[in-house]
Amino acid sequence: MSKQNFIVIGITLFLALFIINSNAFAISPETEQLLKLLEKKNIITDKEAADMRQEMEFSSQTGDKEAYETKLAGLLGNWADKIHPCVLIEVEASYEDYNFHDPSKRDTDTSDLILATVSVGFDIDIAKHVKGNLYFLYEEDATEPFDIDEGIITIDGENIVPLAVHLGKMYVPFGRFKSHFIRDPLTLELGETNESAVIGCFRNNQLVLSIGAFNGDVDETGEGSSNHIDDYLASAVFTLPEKTVPNLDLIAGISGISNIADSDALQEEITATIKNHIGGFNTFIIASLLDKYFFNAEYLGAIDDFEANELSFDGGKSYRPEVWTIEFAYGLTDRLKFGVCYEGSNDCGDFLPKKQFGGVVGYDLFKHTYVALEYLYGKYENKDTRHLMTTQLAIEF
């Protein structure tokens, strides 16, 4: 099914849930459009649509608003209970001052205002043991127009067996990437991996074990145009049982992947092919106390060296990229939160800062509305430096 058809289906579902005007007694243009879309997608038959039009017109003439509402509720009621939409919109303004260590290069400063993120998603309860997730993503200057960010079918055992299988395009369970900042942590920038994959999970209240496989994009030298499912991953996530330590929430985990070169960022930096697949390792811990004090730390990196010139930023050397991040945050009130971070990297050249630190303040302006301001200072392996200030207004519901 094409991207356009997916978007049409998403819009259809959105209309079915939100655009029905219960105050209109006659058939409005919006309602007529909705009926045509439902007919086109074979959700209702031509006869059912004709009967509904006739009854709506009759309801309009007799003033029987209740009959009109009951008819539509009968059509959409079951789907309304099964479809759970969500929307995220982020607008950002930023200023960057970049200073080159090389005196022959001229320092730069830039500012911008962008629609950073629009994410529209649907979590759908298809049937007992079967669920679907469909998420569309727009990022200015990165995705034009919308991309299908995730499309997942989940088959689970619910209360029968603690097992589940996830199939489709997804962010594979390699890394956690928790952050209180506007910007992405360095661990995400190096390791986030969005692929079409199959993931099997064991889950209970304290432990989630996952194993999976996918067909990566970065091939080994000598394989030609290899096209096989040859990337594998595994992860384990532990959650501290409630009331073990009063007012303490804690999650910790580890994960590994057979080829870190297939991360979203690194595959863009691979110059051609690589001699051997390079495994990756991740570990993290996330804790909160009294739902007021927050701490998270994460490490992610390659477990072996890339050959010289395999990475665009390696300067002709063998590199083993690795990154780490540490954050503390404090909730001054239920709506106001402060945070600080300290991050670092090794063997990342001018791709990621070697050291980075900064602060953020965020405030829940209104219901579902959040505003934040952050400052970051970064220094790169080649001694270039960067000052970055960003402010964000976001809504999520």
Side-chain angles (χ1 to χ4, degrees):
M1 186 176 290
S2 69
K3 181 188 295 184
Q4 183 177 3
N5 287 339
F6 270 118
I7 295 174
V8 169
I9 292 172
I11 294 172
T12 302
L13 294 172
F14 188 85
L15 286 170
L17 288 170
F18 296 114
I19 299 182
I20 295 172
N21 182 359
S22 61
N23 295 319
F25 284 29
I27 299 179
S28 67
E30 292 84 1
T31 302
E32 179 64 31
Q33 183 183 13
L34 173 60
L35 287 172
K36 288 179 179 179
L37 285 170
L38 294 173
E39 288 179 78
K40 184 177 179 180
K41 297 302 175 184
N42 296 319
I43 297 174
I44 60 176
T45 65
D46 295 344
K47 185 178 184 305
E48 288 173 333
D51 290 343
M52 290 185 66
R53 289 186 181 95
Q54 183 177 357
E55 187 159 339
M56 289 177 196
E57 290 171 357
F58 175 77
S59 298
S60 174
Q61 294 168 2
T62 62
D64 187 3
K65 179 181 177 183
E66 183 178 353
Y68 168 76
E69 293 176 339
T70 301
K71 190 70 176 181
L72 284 177
L75 171 65
L76 300 173
N78 291 337
W79 281 107
D81 292 337
K82 293 181 178 181
I83 301 172
H84 312 286
C86 57
V87 176
L88 170 66
I89 302 174
E90 297 174 338
V91 178
E92 294 178 4
S94 63
Y95 172 80
E96 180 183 69
D97 180 19
Y98 197 97
N99 301 302
F100 293 96
H101 179 68
D102 185 347
S104 66
K105 295 182 179 180
R106 185 176 178 180
D107 297 343
T108 63
D109 66 293
T110 59
S111 60
D112 204 358
L113 174 66
I114 63 170
L115 177 59
T117 305
V118 177
S119 177
V120 179
F122 300 91
D123 298 327
I124 310 168
D125 298 325
I126 304 297
K128 188 175 182 179
H129 305 298
V130 183
K131 296 178 176 62
N133 307 89
L134 179 61
Y135 285 80
F136 302 99
L137 177 68
Y138 169 85
E139 295 177 325
E140 189 168 326
D141 300 326
T143 61
E144 299 286 351
F146 274 83
D147 274 351
I148 296 176
D149 197 38
E150 292 187 277
I152 307 170
I153 297 174
T154 297
I155 301 175
D156 63 56
E158 288 189 343
N159 57 344
I160 300 174
V161 291
L163 301 175
V165 178
H166 309 281
L167 304 99
K169 187 181 182 187
M170 68 186 76
Y171 291 94
V172 301
F174 176 62
R176 193 70 170 197
F177 313 135
K178 171 73 173 179
S179 180
H180 300 277
F181 278 69
I182 299 171
R183 65 88 185 96
D184 295 328
L186 296 186
T187 48
L188 182 150
E189 294 198 42
L190 181 65
E192 183 180 64
T193 306
N194 183 271
E195 293 282 352
S196 293
V198 54
I199 307 292
C201 295
F202 166 86
R203 181 189 301 270
N204 60 28
N205 292 334
Q206 286 81 46
L207 187 65
V208 179
L209 301 176
S210 303
I211 58 172
F214 62 92
N215 180 2
D217 298 314
V218 178
D219 297 324
E220 292 182 330
T221 305
E223 287 187 342
S225 57
S226 175
N227 191 18
H228 296 284
I229 299 174
D230 55 2
D231 280 33
Y232 309 97
L233 61 101
S235 70
V237 178
F238 170 78
T239 301
L240 185 71
E242 292 185 12
K243 300 180 181 179
T244 301
V245 179
N247 299 311
L248 176 67
D249 295 321
L250 185 145
I251 302 174
I254 59 172
S255 57
I257 197 167
S258 64
N259 189 20
I260 196 174
D262 274 314
S263 74
D264 295 348
L266 281 183
Q267 64 180 269
E268 298 295 327
E269 302 297 330
I270 299 296
T271 55
T273 58
I274 58 177
K275 182 177 180 180
N276 297 298
H277 282 180
I278 304 296
F281 174 76
N282 166 267
T283 185
F284 71 88
I285 184 170
I286 302 169
S288 67
L289 181 64
L290 299 170
D291 201 28
K292 188 174 183 178
Y293 303 93
F294 305 90
F295 169 80
N296 55 278
E298 185 167 26
Y299 168 88
L300 186 146
I303 60 176
D304 205 348
D305 293 344
F306 285 88
E307 297 290 323
N309 298 313
E310 288 185 340
L311 297 168
S312 64
F313 54 81
D314 65 21
K317 302 176 183 178
S318 295
Y319 265 15
R320 184 186 299 183
E322 59 180 355
V323 293
W324 48 267
T325 182
I326 299 173
E327 290 187 14
F328 295 93
Y330 170 66
L332 183 63
T333 69
D334 290 340
R335 301 174 67 180
L336 181 63
K337 185 182 294 183
F338 297 89
V340 294
C341 76
Y342 186 57
E343 302 181 292
S345 72
N346 287 316
D347 285 354
C348 287
D350 59 358
F351 173 55
L352 295 173
K354 185 174 181 63
K355 301 293 181 184
Q356 180 165 269
F357 61 85
V360 64
V361 55
Y363 184 71
D364 291 328
L365 191 61
F366 305 109
K367 185 177 181 180
H368 307 305
T369 306
Y370 178 78
V371 62
L373 174 68
E374 75 174 21
Y375 165 78
L376 291 170
Y377 171 81
K379 186 172 184 178
Y380 292 79
E381 197 170 277
N382 60 6
K383 298 183 180 180
D384 291 349
T385 59
R386 181 188 69 178
H387 302 268
L388 178 62
M389 183 172 290
T390 307
T391 184
Q392 179 191 82
L393 178 65
I395 60 172
E396 184 174 11
F397 56 90

